Every structure is written in C-alpha cells, then in structure tokens.
Amino acid sequence: MRLPIRLSFSAPSRAILLALGAAAVFGTAQAQTAAPPLKVGLMLPATGTFAALGDMIERGFRLHVQEQGGKLGGREIQYFRVDDESDPSKATDNVNKLIKRDNVDVIVGTVHSGVALAMARAAKDSNTMLIVPNAGADAITGAMCAPHIFRSSFSNWQPGYATGVVAAGKGYKRAMTITWNYAAGQETVKGFTEAFEKGGGKVIKDLNLPFPNVEFQALLTEIAAQKPDVVFAFFAGGGAVKFVKDYDAAGLRRNVPLLGSGFLTDGTLEAQGSAAQGLQTALHYADNLDTPRNNAFRKNFALTFKANADVYAVQGYDAAQLLGAGLVAVKGDFAKRDGMIAAMRKASIDSPRGRFTLSASHNPVQDIYLREAVGKNNEMKAVAVKALADPGRGCRM
Ligand code: PHB
C-alpha cells in the first residue's frame, strides 16, 4: 500500500460545495445520500526544528485511516493542512485558517506547546473538537481542559516526572537541568524536579536558552565547572541532534551522565550517530516493544513510508484511533458529538506503545519506559513508572 504522504487538499470553493450539495439532493434517488467527508484539519510544523516531527505525526495519522480503508466509523476523511512553523506568534491566525476558512470538523495538532495553547484557546472559543498528537503543555489537560479537547500523546509533566524517578533511583544527588525556555522545557523540568527531589536529590541549577536556539557552548562550560552528578535535558528534533552532539564533543559524557525525556533521542538517532549511543531516556514508547501490536504497526509503517516509525508516528496513529473510537460509536454521524465525546472519554486505545485509557482530563494514562539508545533504536530497559496519570491540575469539567 502506498499513501499520498504529502498530498495537500485545499478548501473546496463555494461553487463546488453547492454543486456537491445539488448532486446529493438530485443525483442519487436510488440510494441514501452518503455523508460528506469529515473534515480534519492537520496543523503541524512542516518547517523549522520540529519539521520531521510533524511529518511523522501526519504519516501515523494517515496510516491508521488508510488501514481502515480511508474511513473512520464509515465516514470518509478529508484533510486540510497548515504549516504552523512552531511559531506561537502566528498560531491564532493559523488555526483560524482551519476553523474559519476551511470549516473543519476536527483539528489535529500540534508539536509545540506554545502553539498548542493558542490552538486550545481557539478550539474552546469556537467549540471545535481538538486532538493534540504531541504538544505536552500541561494546561491543555489541566486548567484549559474541555469536553471536546483530547490528547493522544503525554503531558510535559509525565516524562519529566518519570525521568526524575529514574535519576533518584540511580542514586544521583546533585542535578543540573538544561532546556529551551518555553512551556515544554519549563514544565518537563518541573516534573523532573518534583520526582528527583521527592527521591532525595537536589536540582542545583536550571540552565536555559530561548527556543529554538542551539548555541549551547556557554551552558556546557557552566556544566563542566559545576560538575553535577547528572544532567537532565529536554530538547527535541533538530535541536536535540545538535545538543547531544555538542555534549559529546565537549567531552562531558565521560564525566557527567546525561539523562533526558525520550524526545532527546527519538527520531534523531541516525543524525546523532555515536554521540547518542548508550544514552538513557524515559518516554511512553520504545522502538523494540515486542508485542504483536507494535510489530505489526512498525512493519506496516516501514512498508508504507520506507522509514522507521518513532514516538511521533505512534502519537499521530493514536490520534486517528481516538477519533475513530468516537466516530464508530456514532456510526460516523459527527452531529452526535456528545455520544462521540462519551465514547472517546472511555476508549481503551490499542496503541503500539501498549494499551492506554484517558484520565478524567483526557490525557493518556500510560506506562513510561526507561530506554537506551542502541544502534537506530531506543530500546526498552524497564518500566520506569507504571500507568502514570497526569494530575490534571486545575481541570474542572
Ligand atoms: C512541546 O513543545 O510540547 C514538545 C515539542 C517537541 C517534543 C515534545 C514536546 O518532542
């Protein structure tokens, strides 16, 4: 099977819509009128440091839909796309292209927490269904939670917290953290610090730089001077490639162990080469999970795209599974949105990462694995924290 990976659909013109409407009324007297396709707006980064991540999410989403014959709950899916450039300052305008111009039924996106927060606000204002296939901004399934907002990925707190459990368990006492200075970095570090300090450690200093800068040298010099027991890092995509290489080239790996949330080495191992080998990270997916579900997913993904799946592909795939769970329950009738939402809330998603359910605030309750980078894979070493649920702080619904 080959999928149209980069096929772009623009909004049909008014004339075409009218024509389609007329055909529906007059054209098929013999059959019930088929429902028009469900309009799914994909808002993802196609450029910038997170471009590869957006691509994998889209591939994963399309793969699940394709495996269902191009339909979810019997309803054909039509895609609309916007490149959000991981730029929060353009996010509101960008999401409104999907909501107001294209009139999509569901928005799926995005990678960057700051962009996703603007999307959640727009989804709330317009009462549009939103499924977040990556961005971990805690508030999306916290203070900003809403019945029609779901996440198929994680909250920033989750992998941060789990890595803190791992670091304390290894007996480290003095840690430094390093990340980009925006919601995902700050919240991941906060989760790490919470668990690490609960486990008897102390974070002696937080280092950061603006997103998406990659001038790490001054910060690496400071790490070398302070000599902590361990460094915890959150970076992802192109920035993670550069950071891991720079950390290695500075000679730090021999002296100061580096731990990260798994984005540090996910989808990046080929580009990082030997600099990443042996790095340990914590995340809700590991490439080599030896389950029939993961093996079948990876095989089909590789056959379809001639590329290996990663965590982002899994999250996109599961966003489509979650939408599918809702649409199946209402037999594709999106107008029955309350029924859809009820089915999505109580869905048990058979994910390549392992089965997961959603918390009351619509975030996955999931195992977080300790992984180690071996060759091209992030291999599972252990379950770091079983069935970790984000606390959903501030969510009322
Ligand atoms: C985020 O901004 O929430 C984010 C971005 C990239 C990741 C993970 C989280 O890999």
Side-chain angles (χ1 to χ4, degrees):
M1 175 179 54
R2 279 198 73 77
L3 296 187
I5 301 164
R6 274 290 170 207
L7 239 185
S8 188
F9 297 88
S10 56
S13 72
R14 242 192 144 64
I16 294 173
L17 279 177
L18 285 172
L20 284 173
V25 172
F26 302 115
T28 52
Q30 77 277 32
Q32 289 173 307
T33 309
L38 190 84
K39 296 163 118 189
V40 172
L42 299 175
M43 178 154 151
L44 294 165
T47 50
T49 200
F50 291 157
L53 288 54
D55 196 38
M56 292 302 265
I57 290 168
E58 180 166 351
R59 288 169 165 187
F61 192 97
R62 286 177 182 268
L63 181 64
H64 178 68
V65 172
Q66 202 58 37
E67 285 174 355
Q68 310 304 308
K71 297 180 180 180
L72 295 177
R75 192 84 184 262
E76 225 159 289
I77 302 297
Q78 183 180 14
Y79 297 102
F80 296 79
R81 301 166 75 243
V82 165
D83 173 11
D84 67 45
E85 305 170 49
S86 296
D87 186 343
S89 74
K90 297 180 184 166
T92 303
D93 282 349
N94 277 329
V95 73
N96 279 328
K97 289 180 195 162
L98 295 171
I99 295 172
K100 296 189 175 152
R101 181 192 69 190
D102 300 335
N103 273 308
V104 301
D105 298 301
V106 182
I107 317 165
V108 176
T110 186
V111 170
H112 184 288
S113 275
V115 177
L117 285 166
M119 293 175 72
R121 207 157 294 123
K124 286 182 86 150
D125 289 349
S126 61
N127 201 25
T128 309
M129 185 176 280
L130 169 65
I131 304 177
V132 179
N134 184 72
D138 291 339
I140 290 175
T141 53
M144 295 181 75
C145 75
H148 58 289
I149 296 180
F150 290 86
R151 184 147 54 192
S152 66
S153 52
F154 61 94
S155 72
N156 289 324
W157 178 87
Q158 282 178 309
Y161 185 89
T163 318
V165 169
V166 168
K170 286 179 183 285
Y172 298 130
K173 295 294 177 216
R174 294 167 68 251
M176 285 173 81
T177 71
I178 180 163
T179 190
W180 281 312
N181 191 10
Y182 81 114
Q186 291 157 351
E187 292 172 356
T188 307
V189 163
K190 212 166 156 203
F192 173 84
T193 304
E194 183 182 331
F196 185 61
E197 297 199 337
K198 203 162 31 169
K202 177 87 195 131
V203 172
I204 58 167
K205 186 141 196 198
D206 295 320
L207 303 175
N208 52 61
L209 70 172
F211 174 88
N213 289 9
V214 290
E215 300 310 322
F216 301 117
Q217 278 318 319
L219 302 177
L220 294 177
T221 303
E222 192 166 350
I223 290 170
Q226 299 263 358
K227 294 196 189 61
D229 297 339
V230 65
V231 166
F232 170 75
F234 167 85
F235 293 105
V241 172
K242 173 89 169 25
F243 177 76
V244 165
K245 286 183 144 182
D246 286 4
Y247 198 86
D248 187 47
L252 277 170
R253 272 196 75 187
R254 283 190 301 279
N255 305 313
V256 186
L258 175 62
L259 285 176
S261 63
F263 310 111
L264 195 63
T265 56
D266 221 280
T268 55
L269 284 176
E270 284 185 48
Q272 287 163 332
S274 62
Q277 292 302 300
L279 280 186
Q280 294 199 348
T281 59
L283 203 63
H284 47 282
Y285 183 62
D287 296 310
N288 70 332
L289 293 177
D290 193 14
T291 59
R293 187 71 177 103
N294 189 44
N295 291 334
F297 163 74
R298 292 189 72 87
K299 188 170 164 202
N300 206 10
F301 191 93
L303 282 172
T304 305
F305 301 111
K306 312 287 177 264
N308 290 321
D310 60 15
V311 70
Y312 307 104
V314 171
Q315 294 169 167
Y317 190 84
D318 291 342
Q321 292 212 80
L322 188 55
L323 179 60
L327 283 168
V328 164
V330 296
K331 299 191 172 59
D333 184 358
F334 190 74
K336 298 193 173 129
R337 217 174 68 150
D338 289 351
M340 251 188 98
I341 285 172
M344 290 166 76
R345 283 177 70 97
K346 63 176 198 306
S348 167
I349 299 295
D350 190 10
S351 169
R353 76 187 85 171
R355 201 171 264 286
F356 71 83
T357 54
L358 295 179
S359 64
S361 58
H362 298 178
N363 189 66
V365 178
Q366 54 196 340
D367 293 350
I368 311 287
Y369 305 105
L370 172 63
R371 310 111 46 88
E372 183 170 316
V374 179
K376 290 181 190 169
N377 283 341
N378 286 289
E379 291 194 351
M380 208 265 254
K381 303 275 295 173
V383 175
V385 186
K386 187 126 196 76
L388 186 60
D390 180 271
R393 291 170 184 137
C395 171
R396 315 228 181 296
M397 71 170 147

